[in-house]
Amino acid sequence: MRKILFEFKPDIFITEQFPFGREEEEHELVPLIEEIRKELPDIKIISSVGYGIISTNMYKIGRFLDFYDKILIHTPSMELKYIKDFLDEKNREWYEDFYDEYKERISFTGYIAPESIPGGDGDKKLVVRLAGLQRV
């Protein structure tokens, strides 16, 4: 990935779930992001997250947030009040501080599709699965 990245020099580098999840990728992503920041400073680094809470280690997330120019959270912003309800008091406080500190970088994208599709009969079902590489 590094070779392609440095040859292609994209405008944007997006991580999926990291640093809000995928902690097992930290050993690969952190050195790469540090190198991007140093060698290719014009590349915007974005985190793409299904929900604002994926990781069970909220304080670990904070170590990496300054790497990111933008954080895309794929839920309506009104869902924040519901997300915070699932946290214990310590993590709720961290989460509230996170939004206060990074609100300029956070964009809530909403969901992938509206609740209903105009012209649909409401009888159809759709299953969407996130697929990717799997280590064996």
Side-chain angles (χ1 to χ4, degrees):
M1 178 189 291
R2 184 196 175 285
K3 180 181 178 193
I4 293 169
L5 181 69
F6 282 81
E7 285 177 9
F8 184 66
K9 297 180 183 166
D11 296 318
I12 299 170
F13 180 81
I14 300 174
T15 60
E16 181 183 3
Q17 305 298 355
F18 191 80
F20 297 87
R22 299 222 169 134
E23 289 93 349
E24 69 277 5
E25 303 299 329
E26 176 183 336
H27 70 282
E28 292 179 47
L29 287 173
V30 171
L32 182 60
I33 291 171
E34 287 174 335
E35 192 171 4
I36 291 169
R37 280 284 178 233
K38 183 179 176 184
E39 303 294 327
L40 301 169
D42 293 335
I43 292 178
K44 299 293 181 207
I45 300 175
I46 297 172
S47 176
S48 174
V49 187
Y51 285 96
I53 301 174
I54 303 295
S55 177
T56 55
N57 188 339
M58 301 280 215
Y59 292 93
K60 191 173 187 179
I61 294 170
R63 295 185 0 218
F64 306 117
L65 288 174
D66 287 333
F67 287 142
Y68 289 88
D69 298 295
K70 196 76 170 165
I71 301 164
L72 304 177
I73 300 176
H74 307 300
T75 185
S77 60
M78 67 179 195
E79 295 291 322
L80 277 180
K81 63 183 177 185
Y82 301 113
I83 291 171
K84 291 189 297 188
D85 288 343
F86 292 101
L87 299 172
D88 60 34
E89 188 174 327
K90 179 181 172 185
N91 283 330
R92 187 178 306 119
E93 183 178 311
W94 180 92
Y95 206 64
E96 290 168 349
D97 290 345
F98 157 71
Y99 279 103
D100 287 342
E101 184 173 347
Y102 293 96
K103 63 185 164 199
E104 298 300 319
R105 295 186 204 180
I106 296 170
S107 291
F108 292 95
T109 65
Y111 295 123
I112 194 168
E115 280 188 37
S116 63
I117 298 171
D121 61 13
D123 201 24
K124 306 289 186 230
K125 306 267 188 273
L126 172 68
V127 175
V128 178
R129 182 183 182 280
L130 176 65
L133 296 175
Q134 193 173 36
R135 292 183 183 195
V136 181

